[in-house]
Amino acid sequence: AQTVTQSQPEMSVQEAETVTLSCTYDTSESDYYLFWYKQPPSRQMILVIRQEAYKQQNATENRFSVNFQKAAKSFSLKISDSQLGDAAMYFCAYSSQGGSEKLVFGKGTKLTVNP
Amino acid sequence: EADIYQTPRYLVIGTGKKITLECSQTMGHDKMYWYQQDPGMELHLIHYSYGVNSTEKGDLSSESTVSRIRTEHFPLTLESARPSHTSQYLCASSELGRGRGSNTGELFFGEGSRLTVL
């Protein structure tokens, strides 16, 4: 079974600085998707960024980018120019390609942004 | 914001009561999911559905049941609530993808229903 590990329960960053959240996963599949989801306090969880395993290029969405290392099974999220609105729980998630799209989530990293 | 709604947002009830958590989406998505999330913990899939009259149990065993009579509606029911059921329940939906690249895996989540059983 696939597992997702987030080794940082909490992280903090100064406003306008850069922070990197770590995620590792375990799978025997070669084709899959990886995601970072953001869950603000008492608000809906939303997708931040998605990476297809068959693509070598790292995904980027504005201030958010990933460092996808397939061989190392590592998928970190970098947030540049951090903003107060970035404060949230961030979950790394895995999904099999062509499957049921059931996501396997990590335990999450709570990000605090200090003004 | 995503068009998926959960009610109630907060519910405090006594042991033994029957409860139904409602979830509706207006996006026409075929797939719907229920996740259970304890504070500070990861999400665990408890039920999912691929369409009308389709329901499956997820990876985490749950005493709750679900139904899918209409595409847009996916309620979760607990026949007799217990303190161990205290948790947050998140509903989500996604499109039914076919073929490589169409299975985006993106889930759209509701705001959650926080259940406390006394």
Side-chain angles (χ1 to χ4, degrees), chain A residues 80-107:
Chain A
S80 304
D81 185 25
S82 297
Q83 300 175 0
L84 295 178
D86 294 334
M89 285 289 291
Y90 286 82
F91 291 93
C92 180
Y94 170 102
S95 173
S96 297
Q97 166 61 23
S100 63
E101 293 147 311
K102 293 186 292 180
L103 295 189
V104 177
F105 286 87
K107 292 188 176 184

PDB file of all heavy atoms in Angstrom, chain A residues 80-107:
ATOM      1  N   SER A  80       7.344  30.737  -2.167  1.00  0.00           N
ATOM      2  CA  SER A  80       8.174  31.943  -2.263  1.00  0.00           C
ATOM      3  C   SER A  80       7.354  33.159  -1.881  1.00  0.00           C
ATOM      4  O   SER A  80       6.129  33.174  -2.024  1.00  0.00           O
ATOM      5  CB  SER A  80       8.702  32.098  -3.684  1.00  0.00           C
ATOM      6  OG  SER A  80       9.415  30.952  -4.099  1.00  0.00           O
ATOM      7  N   ASP A  81       8.056  34.186  -1.371  1.00  0.00           N
ATOM      8  CA  ASP A  81       7.387  35.446  -1.022  1.00  0.00           C
ATOM      9  C   ASP A  81       6.141  35.156  -0.176  1.00  0.00           C
ATOM     10  O   ASP A  81       5.024  35.553  -0.504  1.00  0.00           O
ATOM     11  CB  ASP A  81       7.005  36.199  -2.299  1.00  0.00           C
ATOM     12  CG  ASP A  81       6.424  37.568  -2.026  1.00  0.00           C
ATOM     13  OD1 ASP A  81       6.731  38.140  -0.953  1.00  0.00           O
ATOM     14  OD2 ASP A  81       5.645  38.055  -2.862  1.00  0.00           O
ATOM     15  N   SER A  82       6.343  34.466   0.938  1.00  0.00           N
ATOM     16  CA  SER A  82       5.232  34.021   1.769  1.00  0.00           C
ATOM     17  C   SER A  82       4.330  35.173   2.199  1.00  0.00           C
ATOM     18  O   SER A  82       4.804  36.276   2.536  1.00  0.00           O
ATOM     19  CB  SER A  82       5.765  33.311   3.026  1.00  0.00           C
ATOM     20  OG  SER A  82       6.477  32.148   2.670  1.00  0.00           O
ATOM     21  N   GLN A  83       3.051  34.903   2.192  1.00  0.00           N
ATOM     22  CA  GLN A  83       2.051  35.894   2.577  1.00  0.00           C
ATOM     23  C   GLN A  83       1.258  35.385   3.775  1.00  0.00           C
ATOM     24  O   GLN A  83       1.188  34.181   4.018  1.00  0.00           O
ATOM     25  CB  GLN A  83       1.125  36.173   1.393  1.00  0.00           C
ATOM     26  CG  GLN A  83       1.859  36.702   0.178  1.00  0.00           C
ATOM     27  CD  GLN A  83       0.961  36.870  -1.036  1.00  0.00           C
ATOM     28  OE1 GLN A  83      -0.237  36.588  -0.987  1.00  0.00           O
ATOM     29  NE2 GLN A  83       1.534  37.311  -2.133  1.00  0.00           N
ATOM     30  N   LEU A  84       0.646  36.318   4.497  1.00  0.00           N
ATOM     31  CA  LEU A  84      -0.117  35.937   5.692  1.00  0.00           C
ATOM     32  C   LEU A  84      -1.217  34.929   5.339  1.00  0.00           C
ATOM     33  O   LEU A  84      -1.548  34.045   6.130  1.00  0.00           O
ATOM     34  CB  LEU A  84      -0.718  37.169   6.358  1.00  0.00           C
ATOM     35  CG  LEU A  84       0.297  38.169   6.928  1.00  0.00           C
ATOM     36  CD1 LEU A  84      -0.422  39.380   7.513  1.00  0.00           C
ATOM     37  CD2 LEU A  84       1.176  37.520   7.994  1.00  0.00           C
ATOM     38  N   GLY A  85      -1.768  35.069   4.154  1.00  0.00           N
ATOM     39  CA  GLY A  85      -2.826  34.157   3.716  1.00  0.00           C
ATOM     40  C   GLY A  85      -2.346  32.751   3.410  1.00  0.00           C
ATOM     41  O   GLY A  85      -3.169  31.858   3.180  1.00  0.00           O
ATOM     42  N   ASP A  86      -1.043  32.550   3.417  1.00  0.00           N
ATOM     43  CA  ASP A  86      -0.512  31.205   3.193  1.00  0.00           C
ATOM     44  C   ASP A  86      -0.581  30.347   4.454  1.00  0.00           C
ATOM     45  O   ASP A  86      -0.373  29.138   4.398  1.00  0.00           O
ATOM     46  CB  ASP A  86       0.942  31.274   2.726  1.00  0.00           C
ATOM     47  CG  ASP A  86       1.087  31.916   1.357  1.00  0.00           C
ATOM     48  OD1 ASP A  86       0.124  31.871   0.564  1.00  0.00           O
ATOM     49  OD2 ASP A  86       2.163  32.486   1.088  1.00  0.00           O
ATOM     50  N   ALA A  87      -0.849  30.966   5.580  1.00  0.00           N
ATOM     51  CA  ALA A  87      -0.935  30.214   6.833  1.00  0.00           C
ATOM     52  C   ALA A  87      -2.067  29.199   6.757  1.00  0.00           C
ATOM     53  O   ALA A  87      -3.216  29.556   6.491  1.00  0.00           O
ATOM     54  CB  ALA A  87      -1.156  31.165   7.999  1.00  0.00           C
ATOM     55  N   ALA A  88      -1.721  27.938   6.988  1.00  0.00           N
ATOM     56  CA  ALA A  88      -2.702  26.857   6.838  1.00  0.00           C
ATOM     57  C   ALA A  88      -2.041  25.534   7.157  1.00  0.00           C
ATOM     58  O   ALA A  88      -0.830  25.461   7.388  1.00  0.00           O
ATOM     59  CB  ALA A  88      -3.255  26.823   5.408  1.00  0.00           C
ATOM     60  N   MET A  89      -2.852  24.481   7.143  1.00  0.00           N
ATOM     61  CA  MET A  89      -2.315  23.122   7.124  1.00  0.00           C
ATOM     62  C   MET A  89      -2.084  22.748   5.670  1.00  0.00           C
ATOM     63  O   MET A  89      -2.929  23.002   4.814  1.00  0.00           O
ATOM     64  CB  MET A  89      -3.293  22.141   7.747  1.00  0.00           C
ATOM     65  CG  MET A  89      -3.368  22.196   9.260  1.00  0.00           C
ATOM     66  SD  MET A  89      -1.872  21.546  10.050  1.00  0.00           S
ATOM     67  CE  MET A  89      -2.010  19.797   9.646  1.00  0.00           C
ATOM     68  N   TYR A  90      -0.944  22.150   5.406  1.00  0.00           N
ATOM     69  CA  TYR A  90      -0.628  21.705   4.062  1.00  0.00           C
ATOM     70  C   TYR A  90      -0.493  20.185   4.078  1.00  0.00           C
ATOM     71  O   TYR A  90       0.269  19.616   4.866  1.00  0.00           O
ATOM     72  CB  TYR A  90       0.669  22.345   3.560  1.00  0.00           C
ATOM     73  CG  TYR A  90       0.482  23.790   3.199  1.00  0.00           C
ATOM     74  CD1 TYR A  90       0.518  24.780   4.180  1.00  0.00           C
ATOM     75  CD2 TYR A  90       0.246  24.176   1.884  1.00  0.00           C
ATOM     76  CE1 TYR A  90       0.321  26.114   3.862  1.00  0.00           C
ATOM     77  CE2 TYR A  90       0.057  25.503   1.551  1.00  0.00           C
ATOM     78  CZ  TYR A  90       0.093  26.466   2.535  1.00  0.00           C
ATOM     79  OH  TYR A  90      -0.103  27.783   2.215  1.00  0.00           O
ATOM     80  N   PHE A  91      -1.233  19.556   3.173  1.00  0.00           N
ATOM     81  CA  PHE A  91      -1.221  18.103   3.084  1.00  0.00           C
ATOM     82  C   PHE A  91      -0.640  17.671   1.749  1.00  0.00           C
ATOM     83  O   PHE A  91      -1.055  18.148   0.685  1.00  0.00           O
ATOM     84  CB  PHE A  91      -2.644  17.543   3.212  1.00  0.00           C
ATOM     85  CG  PHE A  91      -3.242  17.692   4.581  1.00  0.00           C
ATOM     86  CD1 PHE A  91      -4.017  18.794   4.894  1.00  0.00           C
ATOM     87  CD2 PHE A  91      -3.026  16.733   5.549  1.00  0.00           C
ATOM     88  CE1 PHE A  91      -4.582  18.942   6.151  1.00  0.00           C
ATOM     89  CE2 PHE A  91      -3.576  16.862   6.817  1.00  0.00           C
ATOM     90  CZ  PHE A  91      -4.352  17.978   7.114  1.00  0.00           C
ATOM     91  N   CYS A  92       0.281  16.743   1.831  1.00  0.00           N
ATOM     92  CA  CYS A  92       0.804  16.082   0.648  1.00  0.00           C
ATOM     93  C   CYS A  92      -0.067  14.860   0.391  1.00  0.00           C
ATOM     94  O   CYS A  92      -0.503  14.185   1.351  1.00  0.00           O
ATOM     95  CB  CYS A  92       2.255  15.680   0.913  1.00  0.00           C
ATOM     96  SG  CYS A  92       3.098  14.837  -0.432  1.00  0.00           S
ATOM     97  N   ALA A  93      -0.344  14.564  -0.869  1.00  0.00           N
ATOM     98  CA  ALA A  93      -1.225  13.440  -1.175  1.00  0.00           C
ATOM     99  C   ALA A  93      -0.768  12.706  -2.429  1.00  0.00           C
ATOM    100  O   ALA A  93      -0.149  13.294  -3.314  1.00  0.00           O
ATOM    101  CB  ALA A  93      -2.666  13.918  -1.333  1.00  0.00           C
ATOM    102  N   TYR A  94      -1.123  11.428  -2.485  1.00  0.00           N
ATOM    103  CA  TYR A  94      -0.738  10.541  -3.584  1.00  0.00           C
ATOM    104  C   TYR A  94      -1.991   9.926  -4.192  1.00  0.00           C
ATOM    105  O   TYR A  94      -2.940   9.589  -3.480  1.00  0.00           O
ATOM    106  CB  TYR A  94       0.166   9.443  -3.018  1.00  0.00           C
ATOM    107  CG  TYR A  94       0.468   8.310  -3.963  1.00  0.00           C
ATOM    108  CD1 TYR A  94       1.703   8.250  -4.626  1.00  0.00           C
ATOM    109  CD2 TYR A  94      -0.457   7.294  -4.218  1.00  0.00           C
ATOM    110  CE1 TYR A  94       1.994   7.215  -5.494  1.00  0.00           C
ATOM    111  CE2 TYR A  94      -0.168   6.267  -5.090  1.00  0.00           C
ATOM    112  CZ  TYR A  94       1.051   6.226  -5.721  1.00  0.00           C
ATOM    113  OH  TYR A  94       1.344   5.210  -6.591  1.00  0.00           O
ATOM    114  N   SER A  95      -1.962   9.750  -5.508  1.00  0.00           N
ATOM    115  CA  SER A  95      -3.066   9.092  -6.191  1.00  0.00           C
ATOM    116  C   SER A  95      -2.530   8.223  -7.312  1.00  0.00           C
ATOM    117  O   SER A  95      -1.658   8.648  -8.063  1.00  0.00           O
ATOM    118  CB  SER A  95      -4.031  10.132  -6.760  1.00  0.00           C
ATOM    119  OG  SER A  95      -5.021   9.518  -7.564  1.00  0.00           O
ATOM    120  N   SER A  96      -3.070   7.026  -7.423  1.00  0.00           N
ATOM    121  CA  SER A  96      -2.672   6.145  -8.512  1.00  0.00           C
ATOM    122  C   SER A  96      -3.204   6.675  -9.829  1.00  0.00           C
ATOM    123  O   SER A  96      -4.331   7.165  -9.898  1.00  0.00           O
ATOM    124  CB  SER A  96      -3.212   4.731  -8.291  1.00  0.00           C
ATOM    125  OG  SER A  96      -2.675   4.169  -7.123  1.00  0.00           O
ATOM    126  N   GLN A  97      -2.454   6.550 -10.879  1.00  0.00           N
ATOM    127  CA  GLN A  97      -2.900   6.967 -12.195  1.00  0.00           C
ATOM    128  C   GLN A  97      -3.858   5.931 -12.764  1.00  0.00           C
ATOM    129  O   GLN A  97      -3.598   4.735 -12.720  1.00  0.00           O
ATOM    130  CB  GLN A  97      -1.701   7.109 -13.148  1.00  0.00           C
ATOM    131  CG  GLN A  97      -2.056   7.210 -14.615  1.00  0.00           C
ATOM    132  CD  GLN A  97      -2.914   8.408 -14.960  1.00  0.00           C
ATOM    133  OE1 GLN A  97      -2.912   9.389 -14.220  1.00  0.00           O
ATOM    134  NE2 GLN A  97      -3.659   8.344 -16.036  1.00  0.00           N
ATOM    135  N   GLY A  98      -4.974   6.398 -13.327  1.00  0.00           N
ATOM    136  CA  GLY A  98      -5.914   5.495 -13.954  1.00  0.00           C
ATOM    137  C   GLY A  98      -6.707   4.676 -12.965  1.00  0.00           C
ATOM    138  O   GLY A  98      -7.445   3.777 -13.330  1.00  0.00           O
ATOM    139  N   GLY A  99      -6.608   5.019 -11.737  1.00  0.00           N
ATOM    140  CA  GLY A  99      -7.325   4.271 -10.708  1.00  0.00           C
ATOM    141  C   GLY A  99      -8.561   4.997 -10.255  1.00  0.00           C
ATOM    142  O   GLY A  99      -9.180   5.721 -11.019  1.00  0.00           O
ATOM    143  N   SER A 100      -8.903   4.831  -9.031  1.00  0.00           N
ATOM    144  CA  SER A 100     -10.142   5.383  -8.515  1.00  0.00           C
ATOM    145  C   SER A 100      -9.986   6.800  -8.004  1.00  0.00           C
ATOM    146  O   SER A 100     -10.931   7.356  -7.484  1.00  0.00           O
ATOM    147  CB  SER A 100     -10.657   4.500  -7.387  1.00  0.00           C
ATOM    148  OG  SER A 100      -9.714   4.497  -6.321  1.00  0.00           O
ATOM    149  N   GLU A 101      -8.803   7.352  -8.135  1.00  0.00           N
ATOM    150  CA  GLU A 101      -8.517   8.701  -7.630  1.00  0.00           C
ATOM    151  C   GLU A 101      -8.688   8.795  -6.136  1.00  0.00           C
ATOM    152  O   GLU A 101      -8.923   9.866  -5.597  1.00  0.00           O
ATOM    153  CB  GLU A 101      -9.399   9.746  -8.317  1.00  0.00           C
ATOM    154  CG  GLU A 101      -9.089   9.893  -9.762  1.00  0.00           C
ATOM    155  CD  GLU A 101     -10.331  10.217 -10.559  1.00  0.00           C
ATOM    156  OE1 GLU A 101     -11.340   9.544 -10.397  1.00  0.00           O
ATOM    157  OE2 GLU A 101     -10.268  11.146 -11.371  1.00  0.00           O
ATOM    158  N   LYS A 102      -8.601   7.664  -5.441  1.00  0.00           N
ATOM    159  CA  LYS A 102      -8.590   7.749  -3.998  1.00  0.00           C
ATOM    160  C   LYS A 102      -7.241   8.304  -3.580  1.00  0.00           C
ATOM    161  O   LYS A 102      -6.193   7.778  -3.926  1.00  0.00           O
ATOM    162  CB  LYS A 102      -8.792   6.358  -3.386  1.00  0.00           C
ATOM    163  CG  LYS A 102     -10.168   5.770  -3.636  1.00  0.00           C
ATOM    164  CD  LYS A 102     -10.350   4.469  -2.885  1.00  0.00           C
ATOM    165  CE  LYS A 102      -9.469   3.384  -3.443  1.00  0.00           C
ATOM    166  NZ  LYS A 102      -9.669   2.102  -2.698  1.00  0.00           N
ATOM    167  N   LEU A 103      -7.284   9.374  -2.827  1.00  0.00           N
ATOM    168  CA  LEU A 103      -6.053  10.003  -2.391  1.00  0.00           C
ATOM    169  C   LEU A 103      -5.582   9.430  -1.066  1.00  0.00           C
ATOM    170  O   LEU A 103      -6.381   9.184  -0.169  1.00  0.00           O
ATOM    171  CB  LEU A 103      -6.255  11.505  -2.238  1.00  0.00           C
ATOM    172  CG  LEU A 103      -6.568  12.315  -3.488  1.00  0.00           C
ATOM    173  CD1 LEU A 103      -6.520  13.794  -3.173  1.00  0.00           C
ATOM    174  CD2 LEU A 103      -5.600  11.988  -4.598  1.00  0.00           C
ATOM    175  N   VAL A 104      -4.273   9.246  -0.954  1.00  0.00           N
ATOM    176  CA  VAL A 104      -3.636   8.898   0.316  1.00  0.00           C
ATOM    177  C   VAL A 104      -2.938  10.153   0.805  1.00  0.00           C
ATOM    178  O   VAL A 104      -2.095  10.713   0.100  1.00  0.00           O
ATOM    179  CB  VAL A 104      -2.635   7.749   0.141  1.00  0.00           C
ATOM    180  CG1 VAL A 104      -1.930   7.459   1.468  1.00  0.00           C
ATOM    181  CG2 VAL A 104      -3.337   6.510  -0.378  1.00  0.00           C
ATOM    182  N   PHE A 105      -3.278  10.579   2.008  1.00  0.00           N
ATOM    183  CA  PHE A 105      -2.767  11.838   2.540  1.00  0.00           C
ATOM    184  C   PHE A 105      -1.675  11.610   3.571  1.00  0.00           C
ATOM    185  O   PHE A 105      -1.678  10.623   4.311  1.00  0.00           O
ATOM    186  CB  PHE A 105      -3.894  12.626   3.217  1.00  0.00           C
ATOM    187  CG  PHE A 105      -4.864  13.257   2.272  1.00  0.00           C
ATOM    188  CD1 PHE A 105      -5.957  12.544   1.801  1.00  0.00           C
ATOM    189  CD2 PHE A 105      -4.695  14.566   1.861  1.00  0.00           C
ATOM    190  CE1 PHE A 105      -6.866  13.119   0.932  1.00  0.00           C
ATOM    191  CE2 PHE A 105      -5.599  15.163   0.983  1.00  0.00           C
ATOM    192  CZ  PHE A 105      -6.677  14.434   0.525  1.00  0.00           C
ATOM    193  N   GLY A 106      -0.759  12.571   3.645  1.00  0.00           N
ATOM    194  CA  GLY A 106       0.157  12.642   4.763  1.00  0.00           C
ATOM    195  C   GLY A 106      -0.532  13.278   5.959  1.00  0.00           C
ATOM    196  O   GLY A 106      -1.697  13.677   5.878  1.00  0.00           O
ATOM    197  N   LYS A 107       0.178  13.369   7.079  1.00  0.00           N
ATOM    198  CA  LYS A 107      -0.425  13.894   8.302  1.00  0.00           C
ATOM    199  C   LYS A 107      -0.493  15.405   8.334  1.00  0.00           C
ATOM    200  O   LYS A 107      -1.104  15.979   9.236  1.00  0.00           O
ATOM    201  CB  LYS A 107       0.323  13.381   9.530  1.00  0.00           C
ATOM    202  CG  LYS A 107       0.148  11.891   9.754  1.00  0.00           C
ATOM    203  CD  LYS A 107       0.732  11.447  11.081  1.00  0.00           C
ATOM    204  CE  LYS A 107       0.441   9.968  11.313  1.00  0.00           C
ATOM    205  NZ  LYS A 107       0.916   9.509  12.638  1.00  0.00           N
TER     206      LYS A 107
END
